[in-house]
Amino acid sequence: MAGGVFLIQTDGKLVEMSEENYGSEADFQELIAKYPNILAGNQINDAKPRRWLLISIEATLPSEENGSDRWSVDHLFLDQDAIPTLVEVKRSSDTRIRREVIGQMLEYAANAVVYWPVEEIRAKFDATCQAKCLSSEEALKDFLGPSEDSEAFWQKAKTNLQAGMIRMLFVADKIPKELRRIVEFLNEQMNPAEVLAVEIKQFTGQGLKTLVPIVHGKIDKDISASSTRQWDEESFFKELISRRSTEEAEIARKILDWARDKLPRFWWGKGKQDGSFYPVLDHNGEQYYPIAIWTYGKIEIQFQWLMNRSAFGDETKRRELLSRLNQIPGVSIPEDAITRRPNIFLSTFKDTSSLRQLLETLDWVVQEIKSS
């Protein structure tokens, strides 16, 4: 093939490099997993170049709630704003790259935002790090930097998924014009999702290899800028009153006031549409946030987070919490919810005695944490 890249070495020698096909799709995928920077984050967002945290290769996902895994996407990344990024890799010699890959990717994305809880994404990241004999916590800190809160990062990923804030990348050694036009059209129409194609040509010569990425389909659209809204106490309660009622806002206020002494650190959400707050207790190097309250009028019980903490790692403790909650009139959480995040309408606690039972249950949770 004709030479296309010329490399001048430090000794002044010119190396003419010729375009070369990838040996196999697996080789191509391995390069992306090993060197994620070739996904050209600076071309995707030149003002704030995207950086990539590899969550998993061959990341599996189901097609229904609690269903078995049905598909797998070649790579799953999170960028520094915790935006899930699905990567599907095809060589240009694969005829599926023109049409079939589009439907495939859209199917992945449509199901990911519904059936991929962030806890599962986090577990995939843990497994990836474990396979490399790395600490997932240290790997995440290296990616985020020492000043960033890793728990807030995962919460942001959850918020992005719930809002449909997702990026789809079609990667190939050559992007056919048919695929390029479809990607441009989808990226113009879809919001807040982003769809792009990344062409990564490979050039070799004299034992050297050069990879040249080009992003296609980019328009003046920054989903990282529109993906979040920083909520605070004032904006949260204003929105809750607007969307639900003054009565429900008063219930949320009483829970917040209770938490000021018991779960004294508050994490306010960054959802574009839905506001939330998580009362947090820091104890023995662990962060506990047993509940979250949302502007759509629900309190969420965080079993999925509690099960990864010392005080509630034992299933019997979570079952006891479930039992205490189900003793409150109007609360009926199913038995299998102790690994999920069941929610209850705030209006369930409009009766003073019901609210008192809830706060007494949360008092018990705090005692269990402190005695662990």
Side-chain angles (χ1 to χ4, degrees), residues 255 259 263-267 277-281 288-293:
I255 296 172
L263 302 166
R265 181 164 66 85
F266 292 91
W267 186 85
F277 73 85
Y278 291 69
V280 182
L281 175 62
Y288 289 86
Y289 28 95
I291 60 170
I293 298 181

Side-chain angles (χ1 to χ4, degrees), residues 237-309:
F237 282 98
K238 182 178 180 181
E239 181 75 6
L240 181 56
I241 292 171
S242 173
R243 290 173 62 171
R244 300 296 299 177
S245 68
T246 302
E247 181 181 44
E248 290 183 37
E250 183 60 27
I251 294 168
R253 173 72 67 183
K254 289 178 179 178
I255 296 172
L256 183 145
D257 289 340
W258 167 87
R260 292 189 194 280
D261 292 329
K262 306 297 179 67
L263 302 166
R265 181 164 66 85
F266 292 91
W267 186 85
W268 295 92
K270 295 185 179 181
K272 184 179 179 182
Q273 296 177 329
D274 300 318
S276 60
F277 73 85
Y278 291 69
V280 182
L281 175 62
D282 298 298
H283 180 70
N284 281 347
E286 293 183 306
Q287 298 173 334
Y288 289 86
Y289 28 95
I291 60 170
I293 298 181
W294 292 83
T295 51
Y296 45 73
K298 290 187 176 182
I299 177 171
E300 199 174 65
I301 310 301
Q302 303 293 301
F303 283 113
Q304 275 188 331
W305 295 111
L306 287 173
M307 66 186 292
N308 295 315
R309 300 294 184 266

Side-chain angles (χ1 to χ4, degrees), residues 85-96:
T85 300
L86 310 183
V87 177
E88 192 65 18
V89 180
K90 291 285 185 290
R91 290 187 298 167
S92 57
S93 58
D94 189 336
T95 57
R96 294 175 298 170

Side-chain angles (χ1 to χ4, degrees), residues 115-154:
Y115 304 124
W116 234 358
V118 74
E119 294 79 12
E120 184 175 337
I121 292 176
R122 190 171 186 174
K124 291 180 186 299
F125 177 63
D126 289 342
T128 295
C129 291
Q130 185 175 6
K132 297 178 180 179
C133 298
L134 298 174
S135 161
S136 57
E137 188 65 29
E138 290 302 318
L140 183 57
K141 285 182 179 178
D142 289 342
F143 175 74
L144 294 176
S147 62
E148 296 294 325
D149 185 344
S150 59
E151 294 299 333
F153 178 78
W154 293 114

Side-chain angles (χ1 to χ4, degrees), residues 34 53 69 129 133 205 224 247 252:
K34 190 174 182 179
L53 179 71
D69 291 327
C129 291
C133 298
S224 65
E247 181 181 44

Side-chain angles (χ1 to χ4, degrees), residues 91-275:
R91 290 187 298 167
S92 57
S93 58
D94 189 336
T95 57
R96 294 175 298 170
I97 196 173
R98 284 169 171 78
R99 288 188 179 87
E100 185 179 328
V101 70
I102 293 290
Q104 188 180 39
M105 178 70 94
L106 292 177
E107 200 164 35
Y108 294 162
N111 286 277
V113 298
V114 178
Y115 304 124
W116 234 358
V118 74
E119 294 79 12
E120 184 175 337
I121 292 176
R122 190 171 186 174
K124 291 180 186 299
F125 177 63
D126 289 342
T128 295
C129 291
Q130 185 175 6
K132 297 178 180 179
C133 298
L134 298 174
S135 161
S136 57
E137 188 65 29
E138 290 302 318
L140 183 57
K141 285 182 179 178
D142 289 342
F143 175 74
L144 294 176
S147 62
E148 296 294 325
D149 185 344
S150 59
E151 294 299 333
F153 178 78
W154 293 114
Q155 290 290 346
K156 193 186 298 184
K158 174 185 173 181
T159 299
N160 288 336
L161 276 172
Q162 290 175 333
M165 197 75 54
I166 196 167
R167 180 183 293 109
M168 292 160 270
L169 297 183
F170 299 97
V171 179
D173 53 335
K174 183 177 180 180
I175 302 296
K177 63 180 181 180
E178 299 93 339
L179 176 59
R180 189 182 309 175
R181 179 59 199 127
I182 293 172
V183 165
E184 290 170 350
F185 174 77
L186 289 174
N187 204 28
E188 288 167 355
Q189 302 301 319
M190 296 182 73
N191 188 41
E194 183 173 44
V195 187
L196 298 168
V198 184
E199 184 176 88
I200 306 177
K201 292 184 179 295
Q202 176 179 243
F203 296 85
T204 61
Q206 298 185 27
L208 302 174
K209 181 183 295 185
T210 296
L211 304 173
V212 181
I214 300 174
V215 173
H216 298 283
K218 186 79 177 80
I219 62 174
D220 188 15
K221 168 177 161 180
D222 179 7
I223 65 170
S224 65
S226 60
S227 64
T228 61
R229 167 187 177 183
Q230 180 60 67
W231 294 84
D232 57 22
E233 186 171 336
E234 180 180 356
S235 60
F236 176 90
F237 282 98
K238 182 178 180 181
E239 181 75 6
L240 181 56
I241 292 171
S242 173
R243 290 173 62 171
R244 300 296 299 177
S245 68
T246 302
E247 181 181 44
E248 290 183 37
E250 183 60 27
I251 294 168
R253 173 72 67 183
K254 289 178 179 178
I255 296 172
L256 183 145
D257 289 340
W258 167 87
R260 292 189 194 280
D261 292 329
K262 306 297 179 67
L263 302 166
R265 181 164 66 85
F266 292 91
W267 186 85
W268 295 92
K270 295 185 179 181
K272 184 179 179 182
Q273 296 177 329
D274 300 318

